[in-house]
Amino acid sequence: MSNRARFNLTIILVLLITLYARPPSAHEEPAATLPAIPPLSAINYNSREGYFVLYLEHTPQLSLIVDYATDPSFTTISNQYPWFADFQQLTLSGFTDGEHYFRVAQYPAIGERQRPIQVSNTVKVTVQHYDTSLALSLLLFGAAIFVCLVGTILYFHTRYRTND
């Protein structure tokens, strides 16, 4: 192979390497061509039990994360929950009394959750648990019914045994 052919081959290889050696962000789709995040809503915006269901308008086409914050501006994100595959609903529980804010976001990579690429609308859910006295009275009522049931079973069991 002549020197001129080697030179041409070297130039072609350098150009090909330059074309393929781009940063990873150059291989991603631009934000304008990404599918939009579907609107987020809650089936019940007021919860008395501490759990609620977040609902997407249609099945998501993206890998999404649910951001949770206690302020509507999301200055500090308290927790993040992955949105499962192609489900339209996500049930969350274990929240204390107060106002809780949620949004769905798409992040560039799983390990990099600093800045979302795009976010959905914000949903506010208010949790106000039932009064403790109501819970205790229902517990005592249930215990009384249980004791009556067990007593009735034992009474009729001993009565049946004595008749044999």
Side-chain angles (χ1 to χ4, degrees), residues 37-38 40 54 56 64-67 83 102-106 118-121:
I37 294 178
L40 180 69
L54 296 177
L56 286 177
L64 301 175
I65 301 290
V66 178
D67 291 336
W83 193 276
F102 298 92
R103 71 179 182 191
V104 177
Q106 180 192 15
Q118 56 180 334
V119 296
S120 72
N121 57 315

Side-chain angles (χ1 to χ4, degrees), residues 1-16:
M1 188 183 283
S2 69
N3 284 345
R4 185 170 176 91
R6 276 195 198 125
F7 177 75
N8 288 339
L9 184 63
T10 305
I11 295 294
I12 290 172
L13 287 175
V14 167
L15 287 175
L16 286 175

Side-chain angles (χ1 to χ4, degrees), residues 55-114:
Y55 179 76
L56 286 177
E57 203 170 271
H58 57 273
T59 306
Q61 303 296 318
L62 307 163
S63 176
L64 301 175
I65 301 290
V66 178
D67 291 336
Y68 161 65
T70 53
D71 62 331
S73 62
F74 286 88
T75 52
T76 58
I77 295 174
S78 301
N79 208 344
Q80 293 180 317
Y81 307 97
W83 193 276
F84 297 111
D86 57 352
F87 292 106
Q88 285 185 273
Q89 296 180 355
L90 178 69
T91 303
L92 296 174
S93 66
F95 291 90
T96 58
D97 289 348
E99 295 177 345
H100 306 279
Y101 298 91
F102 298 92
R103 71 179 182 191
V104 177
Q106 180 192 15
Y107 288 91
I110 292 175
E112 304 173 14
R113 293 200 175 139
Q114 291 82 17

